[in-house]
Amino acid sequence: DAEASDPTASAATHVLRKIFGYDSFREGQQEIIEHVVAGGDALVLMPTGGGKSLCYQIPALVRDGVGVVISPLIALMQDQVDALTALGVRAGFLNSTQGIDERQAVEACFAAGEIDLLYLAPERLRVDATLRLLDRGKISLFAIDEAHCVAQWGHDFRPDYLALSTLHERWPTVPRVALTATATPATHAEIAARLNLENARHFVASFDRPNIQYRIAPKNEPRRQLLSLLRNEHAGDAGIIYCLSRASVDKIAEFLTQNDIPALPYHAGLDARTRAANQSRFLREDGLIMVATIAFGMGIDKPDVRFVAHLDLPKSVEGYYQETGRAGRDGQPSTAWLAYGLQDVVQQRRLIETSEGDDTHRRRLGTHLEAMLALCETIDCRRVRLLDYFGQKSAPCGNCDTCITPPESWDGTIPAQKLLSTVLRLQRERRQKFGAGQIVDILLGRKTDKVLQHDHASLTVFGIGTELRESEWRGVVRQLLAQSLLTVEGDYGTLVLTDASADVLRGNHQVLLRREPERTKPARSTSKS
Ligand code: ADP
Ligand code: ZN
């Protein structure tokens, strides 16, 4: 057509129109592409759906040689190559799922320069034969997708990514473009350092996803809360529901199906065939809900996901941002809804305590969790807090729960002192460890079996907290956890004071709390999950 043959258009624009069939570049794309076409290194931070793929695909087509794309998403390589092939782009991949014949055919194409893009799993680069293969062909560029996987500070570290620093040593003249949809300033710096990209040009797009409405609710009756979200706001919509464990994925998928809401499960415990079948149904059919662990979603390109719901607390703000980012890639209004409760904090702490790795690693996980809790308990705009986490300043958005119904804050110093001194009393007993339930029972002056058994009714703090309801006390516990004025340990979620608790007890620290919303009574009670 006339536009495609416009002689004044750059080679990149020409490829955009003629091969990909798009009229114009999205924000940031053209600059990045021109820079890489000219042989420059680039570090690209762009939110999900921003259009990162074109940033290396077009330069690979414009430049001489084969573009080598490093991607951890083995399950999606076939799809990516198929999509390119459908556009008439010659592409191939090398990963562990292939047979030897197939692999050799791709290797021969690469060496002969008969493809434009080669997708590689990072672990391939640890194999000497792969490096020798790459020496035999002409490489136009290296694209390092999901570049945050190289950062140990981040939430998705993959050891194989560390080997990518050798690319530059072995092929110093080949331009490299590293891309990620999530990076805090610390992760950003670590990616640059580990991949030797300090001198690369850094392109940082806004991380804001204005069409996503962020909402975080206290988890009271998760199933009822979920049903009401699905029926009242998202009837017939496609969406993703994240759960922490495989067992809860199965249970929630079954629960929705029983309630005539079409849902499929996805987790690493299902066989590869079922997983692939469920994924492809989710991508192709309308209005399906995927109930999944976080094993699902990276690299999934479904534009009309209308909601992402979390039934358990994500491990980090980066994880939360990335998972919720799968909603609304088409730019249409979408919901990111999270329900979380005290039990989530207990569970996450336990996972951290029992996680593999050294103390540094555990401390890092603890920091990630605290930041996530702070986001949950904030009385400020969620988006402001979220973007701030990624080092970007913004104004209150008007499209999150705290903007729409601003939570009241109140001076909770006295309740906090009551709660912390109860924790202190029980901590002194040492013989036994107690979780939030026992603390709240003591504050409310409840003579339960467990209270009587441990003689807790004789404590001076017994019954000093009747001014708050149980749900409010649990809210106080959550918020003190979020503010690091309290922490939780061990299998039973034992509450333990922190260094900062002392200041509150001495009256040197005012505690500002978020008022718990009135709990709406369910019309008919459904079972708790
Ligand atoms: P990311 O990897 O950043 O999440 P993708 O590269 O998968 O995003 O792109 C997201 C969607 O936007 C894809 O469907 C892609 O085809 C589309 N897209 C990318 N660039 C453009 C463009 N310039 N014009 C129109 N659509 C585009
Ligand atoms: Zn807001």
Side-chain angles (χ1 to χ4, degrees):
D1 61 19
E3 273 202 302
S5 54
D6 174 1
T8 62
S10 69
T13 310
H14 183 75
V15 171
L16 176 80
R17 291 179 181 157
K18 192 156 164 256
I19 298 188
F20 292 95
Y22 298 134
D23 296 333
S24 55
F25 286 110
R26 290 223 184 118
E27 199 187 318
Q29 283 178 330
Q30 187 159 17
E31 256 187 299
I32 298 164
I33 291 169
E34 306 275 344
H35 179 73
V36 178
V37 166
D41 290 338
L43 174 51
V44 175
L45 276 57
M46 197 187 262
T48 304
K52 283 184 288 301
S53 319
L54 288 188
C55 296
Y56 59 83
Q57 288 169 344
I58 292 183
L61 291 171
V62 172
R63 284 176 63 87
D64 199 19
V66 186
V68 175
V69 185
I70 319 295
S71 164
L73 308 172
I74 293 181
L76 292 172
M77 284 185 184
Q78 182 75 60
D79 283 355
Q80 285 165 331
V81 167
D82 288 350
L84 287 166
T85 309
L87 296 171
V89 175
R90 304 170 305 169
F93 66 86
L94 292 175
N95 69 32
S96 53
T97 67
Q98 276 165 318
I100 182 132
D101 290 351
E102 200 185 337
R103 198 173 71 218
Q104 282 173 347
V106 174
E107 289 176 358
C109 282
F110 169 79
E114 285 165 3
I115 49 176
D116 297 303
L117 281 151
L118 175 67
Y119 285 80
L120 277 185
E123 58 270 20
R124 293 273 107 194
L125 292 169
R126 290 205 316 222
V127 182
D128 214 41
T130 311
L131 300 176
R132 285 200 307 273
L133 168 75
L134 293 183
D135 277 332
R136 279 164 53 208
K138 181 167 172 47
I139 305 169
S140 60
L141 59 85
F142 286 111
I144 301 166
D145 206 3
E146 313 289 350
H148 61 279
C149 292
V150 80
Q152 280 177 304
W153 172 253
H155 65 293
D156 208 7
F157 173 61
R158 306 203 181 193
D160 283 325
Y161 262 64
L162 293 177
L164 300 183
S165 60
T166 58
L167 295 179
H168 184 55
E169 288 153 26
R170 195 162 175 134
W171 295 279
T173 58
V174 176
R176 293 167 304 149
V177 49
L179 313 101
T180 178
T182 150
T184 62
T187 312
H188 181 171
E190 200 185 341
I191 297 171
R194 289 203 187 272
L195 294 179
N196 247 307
L197 285 171
E198 286 103 336
N199 298 322
R201 224 172 115 188
H202 293 201
F203 297 88
V204 184
S206 166
F207 274 41
D208 190 16
R209 300 286 310 279
N211 60 313
I212 298 181
Q213 182 176 93
Y214 296 101
R215 281 153 47 187
I216 301 181
K219 195 194 288 187
N220 301 322
E221 289 157 283
R223 292 183 175 200
R224 186 183 61 81
Q225 290 171 286
L226 180 66
L227 271 192
S228 121
L229 174 79
L230 299 185
R231 290 193 170 138
N232 301 337
E233 297 179 53
H234 288 290
D237 285 346
I240 306 173
I241 299 171
Y242 283 109
C243 304
L244 193 63
S245 71
R246 298 172 186 183
S248 43
V249 165
D250 289 333
K251 277 188 251 161
I252 295 294
E254 200 184 302
F255 168 73
L256 293 180
T257 310
Q258 282 165 357
N259 281 277
D260 299 320
I261 296 176
L264 298 170
Y266 188 104
H267 57 68
L270 297 169
D271 62 272
R273 259 256 236 54
T274 311
R275 279 204 312 265
N278 288 358
Q279 174 172 316
S280 99
R281 280 191 61 193
F282 177 70
L283 292 177
R284 281 172 191 83
E285 294 177 27
D286 284 335
L288 261 187
I289 293 173
M290 190 67 108
V291 187
T293 60
I294 54 170
F296 177 76
M298 215 203 246
I300 295 287
D301 182 14
K302 182 173 170 70
D304 60 345
V305 173
R306 288 278 71 82
F307 67 90
V308 170
H310 282 91
L311 284 182
D312 296 299
L313 188 70
K315 293 184 178 63
S316 68
V317 176
E318 283 163 288
Y320 171 75
Y321 177 78
Q322 205 168 47
E323 285 139 30
T324 54
R326 290 166 192 147
R329 286 170 145 228
D330 55 8
Q332 297 303 308
S334 309
T335 310
W337 181 83
L338 157 67
Y340 104 104
L342 207 46
Q343 197 48 39
D344 288 296
V345 189
V346 172
Q347 195 171 24
Q348 293 280 3
R349 279 278 172 219
R350 195 167 51 209
L351 288 176
I352 292 173
E353 280 169 33
T354 57
S355 77
E356 287 167 29
D358 53 12
D359 276 353
T360 317
H361 177 64
R362 272 190 285 274
R363 259 200 306 281
R364 186 154 55 219
L365 296 177
T367 310
H368 285 317
L369 177 60
E370 276 157 27
M372 188 62 223
L373 286 177
L375 175 66
C376 290
E377 295 295 353
T378 186
I379 52 177
D380 302 328
C381 168
R382 305 264 189 220
R383 196 180 311 269
V384 166
R385 294 295 293 258
L386 199 52
L387 292 175
D388 183 61
Y389 191 73
F390 295 109
Q392 303 187 343
K393 298 282 164 240
S394 61
C397 71
N399 190 28
C400 72
D401 54 356
T402 55
C403 279
I404 294 165
T405 33
E408 278 177 58
S409 65
W410 55 293
D411 183 346
T413 310
I414 290 174
Q417 287 171 335
K418 289 179 179 177
L419 195 136
L420 294 177
S421 44
T422 308
V423 173
L424 181 67
R425 293 282 141 74
L426 297 198
Q427 210 168 308
R428 281 190 187 138
E429 284 189 25
R430 284 170 205 275
R431 283 172 291 124
Q432 188 98 23
K433 305 200 175 291
F434 299 97
Q438 183 80 347
I439 308 275
V440 172
D441 283 342
I442 295 171
L443 286 165
L444 292 174
R446 288 176 174 161
K447 293 186 173 165
T448 64
D449 288 350
K450 201 170 167 191
V451 165
L452 296 174
Q453 184 194 338
H454 295 282
D455 200 21
H456 285 163
S458 68
L459 293 174
T460 49
V461 288
F462 185 75
I464 58 166
T466 49
E467 72 271 31
L468 298 183
R469 290 172 284 141
E470 175 174 358
S471 63
E472 290 171 320
W473 275 118
R474 295 184 78 83
V476 175
V477 176
R478 281 203 321 269
Q479 295 184 65
L480 293 181
L481 289 170
Q483 298 183 24
S484 302
L485 295 171
L486 190 62
T487 186
V488 53
E489 281 178 6
D491 279 357
Y492 304 105
T494 310
L495 295 179
V496 180
L497 299 187
T498 66
D499 293 343
S501 310
D503 273 346
V504 178
L505 286 168
R506 282 193 215 105
N508 296 337
H509 180 110
Q510 192 200 21
V511 181
L512 218 53
L513 296 178
R514 177 193 168 102
R515 195 172 296 288
E516 287 301 292
E518 284 293 330
R519 207 161 125 190
T520 45
K521 268 258 175 289
R524 184 175 55 87
S525 75
T526 40
S527 64
K528 279 193 185 188
S529 79

